[in-house]
Amino acid sequence: MRSQEVNNKLTQAAELIKDSKHTTAFTGAGISVESGIPPFRGENGLWSKFDPIFLDLGYFFKHPDESWQLIKKIFYDSFAQAEPNAAHYALAQLEQRGLLQAIITQNIDNLHQRAGSKNVIEYHGTTQTLTCTHCGRRYQASTKFLNDLPPKCESCSGLLKPDFVFFGEAIPELAQSRSLQEAEIADVFILIGTTGEVQPASMIPIIAKKNHAKIIEINVEKSNYTDSITDIFLNGKATEIMRNLLAIYLTN
Ligand code: APR
């Protein structure tokens, strides 16, 4: 049973979103945890099990075999079983109802798109495609390439790299410019499942706040944002909170 206080906060959040001209969601690994994809930090976090060095660009080029073994195990084999969850679907529903204009995601699991969201800005790129580091030719990340590691380009035999952002790698320009534009124009930002630990992604909600956006945050625990920029903190699992939030629109 939800407490009255939680109900009030949910209603407040729903009102803010309904009255907003432009609402943007900013999602992190936490929105995909209930799809079976572990977060990077905190309990059961990936970085408590693996040294992130294998995603350092310099290390990848020096040790492509080792990096690719881990990349395949973590970002392809395990992601392959993941399905969008109620939180991903709820965001897609909000977009369809004109209540959400864009999603900026730090995630590379493609679950927002698979849930039906159309306007998704992939701030850290995607696992869906690979690019040749020599000639730039792009490929779908199919099993054909992932069964023979490290994958090589069919045109020039160059090393293929997944199209997600490694440590030490620049943010895709279009993703950066579109995200900054969202932070300029949004009246409401909905932060879901992110610690706000990683720059420059973590600056986006802060810029939105500076531009007078109202910040709604959904997380199972406090983040770097909660006591600094968050206006309404909905403390709970993304699927539960988003299901209850969407229900307010479906019943009104
Ligand atoms: N519902 C809501 N929030 C959740 C849930 C859940 N079911 N489970 C975990 N969380 C929250 C955690 O409390 C934490 O705040 O999700 C967040 C996960 O934090 P991180 O693992 O740091 O993920 P994220 O903030 O997306 O990391 C940013 O770091 O390593 C890089 O590129 C990687 O995009 C990633 C970036």
Side-chain angles (χ1 to χ4, degrees):
M1 184 59 180
R2 291 200 311 255
S3 72
Q4 192 50 47
E5 196 222 343
V6 170
N7 269 334
N8 291 344
K9 282 188 171 186
L10 265 173
T11 310
Q12 264 178 19
E15 286 297 311
L16 266 184
I17 294 166
K18 192 161 64 57
D19 298 342
S20 165
K21 290 186 193 60
H22 192 107
T23 297
T24 306
F26 180 82
T27 66
I31 197 170
S32 297
V33 164
E34 291 161 90
S35 295
I37 295 179
F40 291 97
R41 295 168 191 84
E43 198 185 322
N44 192 25
L46 275 173
W47 299 149
S48 64
K49 295 190 182 112
F50 301 97
D51 179 344
I53 189 80
F54 74 98
L55 287 183
D56 171 88
L57 208 50
Y59 191 90
F60 172 75
F61 283 114
K62 279 203 199 88
H63 310 280
D65 289 82
E66 193 191 320
S67 282
W68 257 111
Q69 293 298 332
L70 278 172
I71 288 168
K72 178 172 185 293
K73 173 184 158 83
I74 297 169
F75 297 107
Y76 290 95
D77 297 348
S78 64
F79 276 26
Q81 277 80 36
E83 293 293 330
N85 62 50
H88 296 104
Y89 285 114
L91 287 176
Q93 279 272 333
L94 289 180
E95 182 184 49
Q96 279 155 25
R97 291 163 178 272
L99 292 165
L100 181 75
Q101 278 61 50
I103 296 175
I104 302 166
T105 187
Q106 298 171 86
N107 301 340
I108 57 178
D109 55 32
N110 200 45
L111 291 182
H112 285 301
Q113 292 91 329
R114 286 179 56 200
S117 289
K118 300 280 178 269
N119 191 14
V120 181
I121 301 167
E122 293 179 303
Y123 198 83
H124 287 149
T126 178
T127 49
Q128 298 301 296
T129 48
L130 312 175
T131 296
C132 176
T133 56
H134 183 69
C135 72
R137 186 173 162 189
R138 180 156 292 179
Y139 298 88
Q140 286 304 314
S142 65
T143 43
K144 178 177 154 210
F145 292 103
L146 296 173
N147 283 342
D148 180 14
L149 299 180
K152 295 287 172 55
C153 177
E154 286 174 334
S155 307
C156 73
S157 307
L159 174 64
L160 300 187
K161 176 188 168 295
D163 285 339
F164 58 80
V165 177
F166 281 31
F167 292 110
E169 193 177 5
I171 300 300
E173 259 175 56
L174 192 56
Q176 175 72 347
S177 57
R178 288 176 65 197
S179 299
L180 289 173
Q181 190 186 27
E182 290 298 319
E184 296 285 323
I185 62 176
D187 312 312
V188 173
F189 251 58
I190 310 172
L191 314 184
I192 308 177
T194 180
T195 44
E197 285 281 324
V198 171
Q199 300 265 0
S202 56
M203 290 304 296
I204 299 296
I206 293 165
I207 295 166
K209 180 75 178 186
K210 284 204 173 79
N211 288 306
H212 314 299
K214 287 287 184 201
I215 309 293
I216 298 165
E217 183 180 11
I218 298 167
N219 203 315
V220 290
E221 59 189 31
K222 286 192 170 187
S223 71
N224 289 345
Y225 300 116
T226 315
D227 295 333
S228 55
I229 65 168
T230 295
D231 295 297
I232 302 177
F233 181 45
L234 301 170
N235 185 207
K237 288 185 174 181
T239 53
E240 284 162 25
I241 302 281
M242 284 309 296
R243 208 182 273 125
N244 293 328
L245 190 65
L246 184 65
I248 293 174
Y249 298 110
L250 301 181
T251 43
N252 286 354

